[in-house]
Amino acid sequence: MKEITLLTPDDWHLHFRSGDMLKETVPATARCFQRAIVMPNTVPPITNAKMALDYKRHILAARPEGSTFEPLMTLYLTNDTSSQDIIDAKASGVTAAKYYPAGATTNSDAACSDMLDLYPIFKVMEEQDFPLLIHGEVTDNEIDIFDREKVFIDRNLLPLVEKFPQLRIVLEHITTQDAVEFIADASDYLAATITPQHLMLNRNDLLVGGIQPHNYCLPVLKRNTHQQALRQAVASGSKKFFLGTDSAPHEKQHKESACGCAGCYSALNALELYTTVFEELDALEKLEGFASLYGPDFYKLPRNTSTITLIKQDWQIPKAIILPNGEPIVPFLAGKTVLWKIKE
Ligand code: DOR
Ligand code: ZN
């Protein structure tokens, strides 16, 4: 195939950050995605409807001229989240709420340390049909980092799903065969997003031949058998798996550091990378479901009506981009050749 046309896709999980950074991140995503679920782990985190609407205004102001891109806002659940916060958020058009285990990832210090404390909030979310987005990892020091997703599923997610069977849950950026199997066997109230890095890479790409800080993200890359399970999941065409890049920019100096930040900045090239993966899997006909249909269906939002076309054409991902503050950022797979390109 030389060309493929899809209904315009959406990104169901990304990090835009705030301030000047929006002038880079928002246009990069608006180039090919019509909507995006915007993560609330800013500094300070987005914890109520007013903050979400304020943040949304800044994102809208950073769109390129004429863009109709729409950010879908989320709340960050903390120990202080009240039932009223959820009711107000729903009434204000906020789309979902995000659960981070405390200490799981970038700016998660404000998160709730025990998920059980949030059960009264989950009850309200279930009643309000307000989706819960989960970073599914335990953070106990005695649990090996490569096992954190599986232990979270067994310890936290199974009881949660049992208690709130009609709460819509997205297990974000899944990384293991265990998560694939759990989601595939779960009710239609559960779904998962999958990133380009977890489809394209495994932990060898992080650790062999020297540490590769630009491939470091959380949940961390797993062994290749898990990568294969994720690839099979998307190739299966199951409506339970859909696109979420987890694009998460950090300045070059904060990635190439003695204590480097987690996150891959993939907004620039994510759609082309997903297309490459589906072609490798001989499953290009399944790409539109993953990228453009199953996400809006799960979120009960209309599917997009416009289209986007990709052509088979080599291009090189830039080695660095200069952010509006003058600092460089290294995009995901910088310097590598991509085989597909969006037709401008
Ligand atoms: O790699 C990641 N980066 N994983 C996350 O969960 C958060 C993100 C970030 O905000 O940098
Ligand atoms: Zn994320």
Side-chain angles (χ1 to χ4, degrees):
M1 213 187 282
K2 294 268 172 285
E3 195 169 296
I4 178 168
T5 296
L6 312 170
L7 281 185
T8 304
D10 305 300
D11 185 346
W12 298 98
H13 180 123
L14 61 60
H15 303 261
F16 273 148
R17 313 299 186 206
S18 49
D20 261 4
M21 184 78 108
L22 294 177
K23 293 191 203 124
E24 161 59 34
T25 55
V26 175
T29 289
R31 178 184 73 106
C32 58
F33 294 108
Q34 178 59 37
R35 295 170 287 199
I37 289 272
V38 181
M39 286 297 117
N41 64 332
T42 46
V43 186
I46 307 298
T47 52
N48 59 49
K50 186 183 169 306
M51 292 176 88
L53 295 183
D54 222 46
Y55 186 26
K56 181 175 182 176
R57 264 191 297 281
H58 286 106
I59 295 168
L60 290 174
R63 291 183 303 183
E65 190 76 32
S67 168
T68 59
F69 171 77
E70 187 191 352
L72 303 173
M73 308 312 292
T74 60
L75 279 201
Y76 186 116
L77 296 171
T78 73
N79 282 316
D80 296 328
T81 305
S82 66
S83 302
Q84 196 60 43
D85 287 331
I86 300 298
I87 292 164
D88 291 348
K90 169 97 182 185
S92 314
V94 173
T95 303
K98 172 77 185 231
Y99 171 72
Y100 287 105
T105 189
T106 310
N107 304 332
S108 62
D109 303 345
C112 198
S113 45
D114 187 348
M115 202 174 194
L116 287 176
D117 294 342
L118 286 170
Y119 269 37
I121 301 299
F122 296 152
K123 175 106 195 72
V124 177
M125 290 175 66
E126 186 181 44
E127 285 160 7
Q128 295 276 320
D129 194 21
F130 193 65
L132 172 64
L133 317 182
I134 294 183
H135 182 115
E137 289 192 288
V138 296
T139 53
D140 317 45
N141 205 31
E142 76 275 10
I143 306 294
D144 188 272
I145 189 168
F146 293 104
D147 298 332
R148 288 177 170 200
E149 187 171 275
K150 176 173 169 35
V151 175
F152 181 88
I153 292 169
D154 296 342
R155 238 189 229 177
N156 299 79
L157 199 48
L158 280 166
L160 179 75
V161 170
E162 192 139 303
K163 181 91 178 158
F164 305 106
Q166 293 183 27
L167 174 60
R168 275 186 291 149
I169 297 174
V170 184
L171 189 56
E172 302 286 355
H173 42 55
I174 59 168
T175 61
T176 57
Q177 180 168 6
D178 311 277
V180 168
E181 288 170 1
F182 174 78
I183 293 295
D185 294 344
S187 82
D188 285 348
Y189 286 88
L190 271 86
T193 55
I194 306 186
T195 74
Q197 63 267 28
H198 293 104
L199 290 170
M200 301 187 83
L201 307 179
N202 59 63
R203 64 197 193 182
N204 282 10
D205 300 294
L206 178 64
L207 297 169
V208 172
I211 292 175
Q212 310 290 320
H214 298 290
N215 294 341
Y216 174 56
C217 62
L218 289 169
V220 75
L221 295 171
K222 304 296 191 300
R223 64 165 63 239
N224 64 353
T225 49
H226 292 297
Q227 180 195 2
Q228 294 313 322
L230 297 171
R231 290 169 71 93
Q232 289 315 311
V234 301
S236 76
S238 162
K239 64 181 186 191
K240 298 188 136 192
F241 303 101
F242 46 81
L243 187 157
T245 62
D246 201 15
S247 179
H250 293 277
E251 290 173 8
K252 182 173 191 265
Q253 56 174 330
H254 296 135
K255 294 287 292 174
E256 298 177 10
S257 145
C259 184
C261 293
C264 302
Y265 182 48
S266 62
L268 274 188
N269 45 33
L271 187 59
E272 290 91 338
L273 297 178
Y274 283 117
T275 307
T276 304
V277 169
F278 277 77
E279 184 182 43
E280 286 166 5
L281 292 166
D282 202 13
L284 273 177
E285 78 286 359
K286 304 278 172 56
L287 177 62
E288 186 176 50
F290 177 79
S292 315
L293 309 182
Y294 307 149
D297 293 356
F298 183 84
Y299 275 91
K300 302 186 184 171
L301 291 168
R303 293 175 175 181
N304 294 323
T305 49
S306 56
T307 61
I308 192 164
T309 298
L310 293 116
I311 47 176
K312 191 91 189 261
Q313 185 189 311
D314 289 7
W315 62 285
Q316 202 189 29
I317 299 172
K319 293 214 165 95
I321 297 161
I322 304 301
L323 292 170
N325 68 356
E327 289 294 333
I329 182 169
V330 177
F332 180 53
L333 299 185
K336 295 278 188 327
T337 300
V338 192
L339 307 180
W340 288 87
K341 197 170 195 336
I342 292 170
K343 199 166 167 178
E344 302 296 344

